[in-house]
Amino acid sequence: MAKTLEEINARIATGSAVVMTAEEFAEIAAAEGLKKAAKRVDVVTTGTFGPMCSSGVFLNFGHADPPIKMGEITLNDVPASGGLAAVDTFLGATEPSLTRGIEYGGAHVIEDLIRGHAVRLKARGHGTDCYPRTEIDTWITLDDLNQAYFFNPRNAYQNYAVAVNSSDRTLYTYLGPLHPHFGNATYCSAGALSPLLNDPLYRTIGVGTRCFVAGAPGFVAWEGTQHNPNQERDEHGVPVKPAGTLAVIADLKQARSEFFSAATMVGYGVSCFVGIGVPIPVLDEELAATLALTDADITATVFDYGVQRRARPAVGTATYAELRSGAIEIKGKKVPTGPISSLKVARRIAETLKSWVAEGGFTLTAPVQPLPQAGSQGVKPLEVRTEEAI
Amino acid sequence: MTKKRLDLTFPPRQSLKPVVYHLVKDYDIVPNILRAQIQPGQEGRMLVEVTGAKEAIAQGIGFLEAQGLTVREAASDIRLDEDRCVTCGLCTAVCRPKALVLSGEDLVFDKDRCVYCEACVVACPRRAISLTF
């Protein structure tokens, strides 16, 4: 029997909603059947905690006296954008430090701010009649800022590539070091706990969906960059390659360091682990069917990063259960596997979100606007060409 | 047969003596050098796994000490900063001898399998792993 979001929210408001993590729901569905589980459970929570490079924060510093129109902004020697109004900036997570390179970057500044550490702000201005100051060198903390919020253009990838390397040398990639001759395979998804794998057709997750972002309550702001609803899908409608993505927004002041961790990928650059969780209302049996999928039901595609081109060849597939077993078979060879996305923290996010919904009155929102669905724009390439060729 | 991991410290004047040769020739010990930092005229360190008869290993250690080396059984040299670790698991993907593995969601370190190659130290995105040697 179908439920409405209003009925579910009414139960959340009175603290009587039945809320489970995606892993718990799969167990209930296996034990009691999908129909019973769909009827009994109101909300399923998800979680993921992997490196998500396309993340960053908008900050407003407030005005100094005399005031300055800031350019050439650095925070702990990490450049931030000076291309906004006088004391606004955007700090991208992957920006490396001018003095420490990729060992410390935008993500590390964000983590330091969340941890309450003081951060050194330096900027220059060209000096105007309304902003006469030409340079500033001071220290700030997160509490001092007027506004500080995440705007992450691409988080929570719906499935991701498994990476292997057929070449003769170790490759240092955003999916970690890849040993030569298919020496290892790395993967990066929360699998059955991953938000968009639980709602593969974007029925409940859309613009305006309330969610968990780095420990803070936030929102899905837009489709994520490179959102690709047209990706190949399995019999459940679940993509078998990287597909949908989310752009999210949330208050940095409410973020928690256990759910945001700066990262340095050796030989590659700065990134950050971002905790994302989305609560999904169990509206009907059709949705319950994908919520009940386990790691054994979700397939990822293995790509050869030894071919250093935009389109890397697919060399096989594996389920997340196989990937988590520690080895998969590629071209007849047993290849050891290792994840980059933390199952431990993904579970903690799903549990935290469960307590927000079950006990904290965290109600659910219907999408104000759906994410682009299959048949709309996919991912377009960048062609290298002259103006005349257009 | 016994197997032991020894952490040897060479005094500066002793760094060039072929002690490993004597372990093999005089005590029938099979040495497997896991790590070494030996510079002429400076204090050196060597982490070596020795296999041989129990008594021969004891005698071999006596020989090394008589040469002026400090011999200790190797302690846990890989350190994990649990406050920094997010249990992503990338270290397990680069650990060839499978000393670091995931058991469910938890990271497990088997010191006996570790060859101190430092692949995990380099790969850890959180810089949570260090080697004290």
Side-chain angles (χ1 to χ4, degrees):
Chain A
M1 200 185 82
K3 280 179 270 195
T4 67
L5 193 64
E6 290 69 29
E7 289 165 351
I8 291 170
N9 274 339
R11 280 197 278 279
I12 293 171
T14 58
S16 60
V18 178
V19 188
M20 285 182 186
T21 70
E23 285 184 314
E24 291 167 337
F25 185 76
E27 282 173 28
I28 293 286
E32 299 179 8
L34 209 55
K35 202 169 183 170
K36 245 180 159 174
K39 194 176 171 194
R40 194 180 130 198
V41 181
D42 296 310
V43 180
V44 167
T45 60
T46 61
T48 184
F49 192 72
M52 303 184 197
C53 288
S54 214
S55 300
V57 290
F58 282 103
L59 309 172
N60 176 281
F61 300 114
H63 287 285
D65 186 27
I68 176 172
K69 180 181 180 338
M70 292 185 189
E72 297 174 50
I73 302 167
T74 61
L75 290 158
N76 284 353
D77 285 342
V78 178
S81 172
L84 295 167
V87 293
D88 280 346
T89 193
F90 183 79
L91 173 66
T94 68
E95 189 71 44
S97 155
L98 296 174
T99 47
R100 295 168 63 188
I102 65 169
E103 285 302 312
Y104 188 94
H108 297 83
V109 175
I110 297 168
E111 184 178 331
D112 274 337
L113 285 169
I114 294 171
R115 289 181 181 276
H117 298 164
V119 167
R120 189 173 188 176
L121 163 66
K122 288 198 256 185
R124 288 178 188 280
H126 53 78
T128 70
D129 290 338
C130 43
Y131 293 111
R133 185 189 287 271
T134 55
E135 55 186 1
I136 192 165
D137 184 348
T138 183
W139 290 83
I140 57 154
T141 68
L142 187 55
D143 282 346
D144 300 329
L145 303 176
N146 287 313
Q147 281 74 30
Y149 49 87
F150 283 107
F151 194 104
N152 301 347
R154 185 180 350 133
N155 282 177
Y157 236 120
Q158 187 181 29
N159 216 336
Y160 209 72
V162 180
V164 293
N165 169 18
S166 67
S167 80
D168 292 333
R169 66 176 183 93
T170 296
L171 301 176
Y172 296 91
T173 74
Y174 53 78
L175 281 166
L178 300 174
H179 295 162
H181 308 296
F182 301 103
N184 64 352
T186 58
Y187 61 100
C188 191
S189 172
L193 273 170
S194 187
L196 287 172
L197 289 175
N198 278 282
D199 181 12
L201 303 176
Y202 328 120
R203 285 183 58 202
T204 71
I205 303 176
V207 176
T209 296
R210 282 183 96 195
C211 59
F212 173 111
V213 178
F219 293 93
V220 174
W222 203 246
E223 68 194 68
T225 52
Q226 290 174 214
H227 175 77
N228 184 7
N230 300 328
Q231 200 57 276
E232 186 186 333
R233 290 168 188 266
D234 68 10
E235 69 273 22
H236 306 289
V238 177
V240 298
K241 290 175 181 171
T245 66
L246 300 176
V248 299
I249 190 164
D251 186 4
L252 186 64
K253 296 188 182 196
Q254 294 182 65
R256 285 158 56 182
S257 59
E258 66 180 300
F259 299 120
F260 181 91
S261 300
T264 298
M265 305 307 290
V266 60
Y268 175 74
V270 185
S271 187
C272 50
F273 292 87
V274 184
I276 302 290
V278 184
I280 299 172
V282 188
L283 297 175
D284 52 36
E285 269 178 63
E286 194 188 329
L287 199 52
T290 52
L291 292 168
L293 295 177
T294 66
D295 282 340
D297 305 311
I298 302 169
T299 301
T301 304
V302 186
F303 291 95
D304 180 7
Y305 280 62
V307 177
Q308 296 178 330
R309 298 298 302 270
R310 181 172 66 205
R312 299 182 184 95
V315 291
T317 61
T319 68
Y320 282 99
E322 288 166 340
L323 288 162
R324 289 201 197 287
S325 76
I328 56 171
E329 204 178 288
I330 300 293
K331 295 192 169 182
K333 189 183 172 185
K334 195 176 168 193
V335 179
T337 58
I340 310 178
S341 183
S342 173
L343 178 61
K344 190 175 206 162
V345 184
R347 282 179 173 156
R348 202 181 296 153
I349 290 164
E351 285 291 341
T352 305
L353 189 52
K354 181 173 127 180
S355 69
W356 286 6
V357 177
E359 297 146 32
F362 189 89
T363 51
L364 277 48
T365 43
V368 177
Q369 174 178 299
L371 296 176
Q373 305 284 318
S376 45
Q377 179 192 298
V379 172
K380 294 195 278 191
L382 172 64
E383 301 302 348
V384 181
R385 62 189 173 186
T386 61
E387 188 179 3
E388 292 75 31
I390 294 176
Chain B
M1 295 292 266
T2 303
K3 195 181 264 191
K4 273 189 176 171
R5 286 192 171 191
L6 303 177
D7 180 353
L8 313 181
T9 307
F10 293 70
R13 61 182 169 74
Q14 205 69 12
S15 297
L16 294 173
K17 282 216 172 180
V19 292
V20 174
Y21 163 80
H22 288 289
L23 286 183
V24 178
K25 188 163 184 296
D26 303 341
Y27 300 96
D28 202 20
I29 287 170
V30 180
N32 181 15
I33 299 169
L34 300 173
R35 288 178 62 82
Q37 287 173 355
I38 309 281
Q39 296 280 338
Q42 291 177 22
E43 187 178 89
R45 291 277 299 275
M46 183 186 289
L47 188 68
V48 59
E49 186 175 78
V50 290
T51 310
K54 196 176 174 184
E55 199 160 289
I57 288 178
Q59 287 170 357
I61 291 172
F63 159 75
L64 294 171
E65 287 173 338
Q67 301 303 307
L69 276 66
T70 308
V71 183
R72 280 168 300 191
E73 288 222 27
S76 173
D77 282 330
I78 293 283
R79 294 235 175 92
L80 179 70
D81 182 342
E82 292 189 7
D83 289 338
R84 292 200 58 78
C85 176
V86 297
T87 329
C88 66
L90 182 56
C91 54
T92 69
V94 297
C95 182
R96 291 174 202 259
K98 298 258 161 269
L100 282 159
V101 293
L102 281 169
S103 171
E105 61 175 34
D106 292 312
L107 191 61
V108 180
F109 176 55
D110 181 350
K111 192 181 104 185
D112 290 340
R113 284 173 170 263
C114 179
V115 296
Y116 305 92
C117 67
E118 293 191 59
C120 57
V121 176
V122 173
C124 175
R126 290 289 294 159
R127 299 288 180 259
I129 308 174
S130 57
L131 185 73
T132 52
F133 179 71

